[in-house]
Amino acid sequence: MGCIQAVTLEVKEGNSTCIKAQLSASFSISYNTSNSTRNVQVSLPDSATVDTGSSSCGTTGSSPWLVAVFGPGHALGLSFSTNGSLYSVANLTLQYNLSDSSVFPEANSSDVVTVVSSSVGIWATINTTYRCVSPSPFEVGGTTVTFSNMRLEAYMPGNDLSPTESVCVADQASTTPPPTTAGTTTTVAPAPTPPGTPERGMYSVNNTNGTVCLLAQMGLQLNISHFSLSQNKTVQELVNLAPNLTSSSGSCEASSATLVLTQERTTTLNFTFTLNSTSHKYHLSGITLLANWSDMTAPFSASNTSLNYLRSTAGRSYMCNAEQTLFVVPTFSLNTFKLQVQPFEVTTRQFATAEECQMDQDQMLIPIIVGAALAGLVLIVLIAYLIGRKRSHAGYQTI
């Protein structure tokens, strides 16, 4: 499939372009031979073309798709979604043909394999170009897709990429924001004043048949470091998610479930839960945040799909009343309060029996330990009193 080169891809409807991408992409894929497992590094060649049969600008009820085909049966696909003010890559798909012996020599299968990942953290404000020069790896069903030198726009109003850019976090981290006055330097503000405990919200996800498949009740607080326009420096900001302004959506599959919380089209928080079918245990495996606040120089995005939080058993809920901090990336962490969640085997609109977090268990032990210590102290004082009294009586008898 050749070396890594920049490729330009366009999806058109008539003479109008609705999706345009300029990017380099490489793929790390593992496959089996008759006696071993091999890993191959391949790239998207400059000969890749847009598959006009699979690509589309989207219609009512269907998403826009950009599908690039290359080689004998290989394809890279990106589907898009929007909430009116932001657009994002909803699904990243890679298809590879194991019968291509030039890429997969001695493969013991000739299958065409398709892997998919959702909510990968590629997003931008509508009518702006998403730009990410830095290499950005994404885990996609056991493979790794790495984009670089990427400029991308969907839902385009014209045929050319917008000159206004939404810059990815990796590029922002490598670029010092320009000062507003001569001699001004970028500094990090002190830790923010906490906005108080967030209100607890109740959220749910329904199956296509209308039955509830995921339940969550929790207070959420975002802790973000970003460059502030008004203060001309990097600030650390704590923001509570307001349940009355937040809508929930998502999906439920056999081994994965997704909860998407959207607040006023400016904040989207995505939780991905993964179920191990062998151990029957689940955990929170991914968190993605998209934020576009008025004081930001550019939309903020952060994603981590290798997390291991909120572990519990399928058919039971996970509960933690204590405040938890879930670290996602260096510039973003999530504080949770009075959390209870059940992403699998929901049978009613109520939580199943809860498995409590270690912090709650420890807090329950504290009064027991303190009580036992006080009881022990009282017992020691009582024994000392009785011994002293006995000695006192012995003295009187001697006299």
Side-chain angles (χ1 to χ4, degrees), residues 162-200:
S162 170
T164 304
E165 296 181 330
S166 294
V167 183
C168 70
V169 173
D171 282 6
Q172 292 179 48
S174 62
T175 304
T176 303
T180 54
T181 58
T184 303
T185 58
T186 301
T187 59
V188 178
T193 302
T197 301
E199 183 182 349
R200 197 182 189 202

Side-chain angles (χ1 to χ4, degrees), residues 89-90 92 116-122 136-145 255-258 270-275 283-290 301-309 327-330 332:
V89 174
L92 172 59
V116 182
S117 180
S118 59
S119 301
V120 295
I122 297 176
S136 303
F138 301 96
E139 295 298 321
V140 185
T143 70
T144 301
V145 177
S255 59
S256 66
T258 301
N270 183 300
F271 298 88
T272 300
F273 297 88
T274 300
L275 174 67
H283 66 281
L284 176 64
S285 58
I287 295 178
T288 298
L289 173 66
L290 313 175
S301 67
S303 181
N304 191 332
T305 58
S306 302
L307 303 177
N308 190 21
Y309 295 126
F327 294 96
V328 183
V329 295
F332 168 55

